[in-house]
């Protein structure tokens, strides 16, 4: 009977003496002592041969032995795991080629925007910007859009809740007002950026898109300057050979026009794009209304100017012949990767 106690102590000494050196040996250790047919199970099995008055003492002893084994196992497991994940300079091959890093590509809207900015920069325009959360005055009033103008309707404009007179700008034209307030002519700026409209026509329509605004103010700026500047742009951007200015209306320009470029109808694609007319609408423009100049602190008897504005998404569709505007908003990498060589 006393052999059982001696045996358990002997096992405890053996466990302490064990020295597994790696994860495999540690697993063998676990199976040997703690496994379902392991030594500790056998020790527990001896309980039957222990007299009742010493059963308690024996149970405690076997538990202590078991604890010794478990503690050793857990400590060594932690140690081996840490070693496995540790960086070992001796196994590092400094001559191995580097892992290829995937590089993203610019979004086609950004590429198009950069192109537009680039073309106008070469004509002497510098980039200006303004806030996307705008006040009513800059977005509408200074743009000669009276209180009762339908463009102010809640249908089109996102107003900021609890901030009377604040809204998400519906076009980049408020940047015109901000620049005129702060600078003296000559002014030659373009302002690319995000704009917001509450387009509830379909659930898939997009309430946020991009525009580029242009503004040129100096002494003696005429409609001929507007026409030549925009023709240069159409040539550089689309390789257009002809432009057409159609009379139009914007509250902040007078006279106002819409510019079309000539695509012709000789291919099926151009016929479809131009609905059989050969002309494709590109942008809105006009001579800055004297009332706008005056509201922004510029003397209309001394200065005149022109302005234009265009949606960038539409230009991107044209430039890359993308068939569906939704592709520009879905950010599917299979689509975006196709622009990886664009800058
Ligand atoms: N702001 C106009 C729009 O959003 C575009 C425009 C800008 C027209 C400047 C004329 C002059 O449609």
């Amino acid at each position: 009977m006393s052999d059982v106690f001696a045996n358990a102590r002997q096992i405890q000494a053996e466990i302490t003496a064990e020295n597994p050196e790696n994860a495999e040996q540690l697993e063998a250790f676990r199976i040997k002592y703690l496994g379902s047919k392991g030594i500790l199970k056998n020790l527990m099995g001896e309980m039957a041969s222990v007299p009742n008055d010493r059963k308690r003492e024996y149970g405690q002893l076997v538990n202590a032995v078991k604890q010794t084994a478990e503690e050793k196992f857990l400590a060594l497991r932690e140690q081996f795991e840490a070693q496995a994940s540790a960086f070992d300079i001796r196994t590092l091959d400094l001559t191995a080629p580097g892992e290829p890093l995937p590089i993203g590509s610019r979004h086609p809207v950004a590429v198009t925007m950069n192109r537009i900015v680039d073309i106008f920069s070469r004509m002497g325009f510098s980039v200006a910007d303004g806030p996307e959360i705008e006040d009513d005055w800059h977005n509408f009033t200074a743009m000669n859009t009276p209180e009762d103008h339908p463009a102010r309707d809640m249908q089109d404009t996102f107003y900021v809740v609890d901030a009377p007179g604040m809204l998400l700008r519906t076009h980049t034209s408020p940047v015109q007002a901000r620049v005129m307030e702060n600078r003296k002519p000559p002014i030659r700026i373009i302002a690319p950026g995000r704009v917001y409209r509450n387009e509830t026509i379909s659930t898939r329509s997009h309430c946020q898109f991009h525009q580029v605004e242009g503004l040129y103010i100096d002494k003696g700026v005429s409609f001929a300057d507007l026409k030549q500047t925009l023709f240069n742009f159409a040539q550089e951007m689309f390789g257009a050979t002809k432009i057409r200015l159609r009379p139009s209306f914007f509250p902040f320009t007078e006279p106002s026009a819409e510019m079309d470029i000539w695509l012709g109808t000789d291919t099926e694609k151009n016929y479809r794009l131009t609905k059989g007319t050969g002309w494709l609408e590109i942008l809105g423009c006009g001579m800055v209304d004297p009332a706008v100049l005056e509201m922004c602190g510029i003397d209309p008897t001394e200065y005149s100017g022109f302005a234009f504005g265009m949606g960038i998404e539409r230009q991107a569709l044209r430039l890359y012949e993308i068939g569906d505007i939704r592709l520009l908003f879905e950010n599917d990498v299979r689509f975006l990767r196709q622009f990886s060589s664009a800058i």
Side-chain angles (χ1 to χ4, degrees):
M1 193 273 299
S2 62
D3 281 349
V4 186
F5 280 83
N7 188 33
R9 282 193 201 94
Q10 167 69 23
I11 301 270
Q12 183 155 36
E14 275 172 29
I15 291 171
T16 310
E18 286 269 11
N19 190 21
E21 282 174 356
N22 54 40
E24 265 167 47
Q25 289 177 12
L26 181 62
E27 179 61 4
F29 168 90
R30 186 189 68 78
I31 292 167
K32 180 176 171 189
Y33 293 100
L34 299 163
S36 54
K37 291 179 189 138
I39 291 174
L40 273 148
K41 268 267 152 50
N42 289 341
L43 285 184
M44 267 306 184
E46 298 294 340
M47 186 64 94
S49 62
V50 179
N52 280 348
D53 62 342
R54 296 201 69 190
K55 275 194 192 323
R56 184 184 160 87
E57 191 191 335
Y58 184 71
Q60 283 170 348
L61 176 61
V62 174
N63 269 336
V65 177
K66 190 177 176 197
Q67 203 178 338
T68 306
E70 278 173 352
E71 278 170 10
K72 182 156 195 155
F73 170 74
L74 290 175
L76 284 172
R77 187 173 66 175
E78 199 173 307
Q79 183 188 327
F80 292 151
E81 278 175 0
Q83 279 167 1
S85 62
F87 171 76
D88 184 353
I89 191 94
R90 289 164 305 184
T91 63
L92 184 69
D93 179 2
L94 292 170
T95 64
E99 292 280 324
L101 275 180
I103 300 174
S105 54
R106 281 197 198 283
H107 195 279
V109 169
V111 179
T112 308
M113 187 147 97
N114 288 347
R115 261 183 88 150
I116 298 171
V117 169
D118 191 48
I119 292 169
F120 283 105
S121 306
R122 275 184 270 129
M123 288 194 259
F125 288 74
S126 58
V127 173
D129 68 1
E132 289 173 26
I133 302 172
E134 202 29 295
D135 54 56
D136 202 283
W137 196 85
H138 287 95
N139 196 78
F140 290 130
T141 311
M143 289 297 107
N144 204 26
T145 308
E147 288 281 349
D148 52 2
H149 195 282
R152 286 194 170 210
D153 199 289
M154 292 291 285
Q155 298 288 316
D156 305 314
T157 308
F158 286 113
Y159 288 93
V160 180
V161 178
D162 294 336
M166 298 302 288
L167 45 83
L168 299 184
R169 66 181 182 187
T170 55
H171 52 176
T172 42
S173 298
V175 183
Q176 288 187 34
R178 291 189 172 273
V179 171
M180 285 190 270
E181 281 170 343
N182 293 312
R183 291 194 214 167
K184 292 259 158 292
I187 291 170
R188 225 174 342 185
I189 58 107
I190 42 165
R194 279 205 175 93
V195 301
Y196 303 82
R197 287 186 197 175
N198 189 1
E199 317 255 304
T200 42
I201 313 143
S202 94
T203 50
R204 301 216 58 177
S205 69
H206 296 278
C207 299
Q208 180 267 123
F209 57 103
H210 297 78
Q211 284 189 334
V212 180
E213 191 81 9
L215 177 70
Y216 181 20
I217 295 180
D218 203 350
K219 288 181 176 147
V221 176
S222 72
F223 202 89
D225 298 317
L226 163 93
K227 190 176 167 190
Q228 187 57 44
T229 305
L230 294 180
F231 182 44
N232 280 351
F233 167 70
Q235 279 179 308
E236 293 225 19
M237 186 80 184
F238 303 107
T241 53
K242 269 199 288 189
I243 61 163
R244 176 172 84 168
L245 289 163
R246 266 183 300 106
S248 183
F249 174 80
F250 299 102
F252 32 91
T253 46
E254 180 60 36
S256 304
E258 265 159 332
M259 183 182 87
D260 301 340
I261 59 171
W262 176 249
L263 293 184
T265 52
D266 38 359
T267 66
E268 192 194 324
K269 191 185 81 214
N270 286 346
Y271 189 92
R272 200 163 30 80
L273 265 175
T274 65
K275 299 190 175 79
T277 65
W279 292 102
L280 188 69
E281 187 194 317
I282 296 291
L283 52 79
C285 58
M287 301 305 291
V288 180
D289 194 303
V292 171
L293 292 177
E294 206 161 335
M295 269 185 284
C296 298
I298 290 175
D299 182 356
T301 62
E302 200 181 341
Y303 293 103
S304 59
F306 66 76
F308 55 87
M310 67 187 110
I312 300 179
E313 278 77 4
R314 292 184 67 187
Q315 321 295 328
L317 295 186
R318 203 135 308 133
L319 205 58
Y320 293 113
E321 301 186 358
I322 298 164
D324 187 337
I325 196 162
R326 286 174 298 191
L327 289 165
L328 294 177
F329 298 96
E330 282 164 354
N331 287 330
D332 184 329
V333 288
R334 290 167 301 179
F335 169 73
L336 296 177
R337 271 199 199 115
Q338 299 174 49
F339 301 89
S340 55
S341 63
I343 42 165

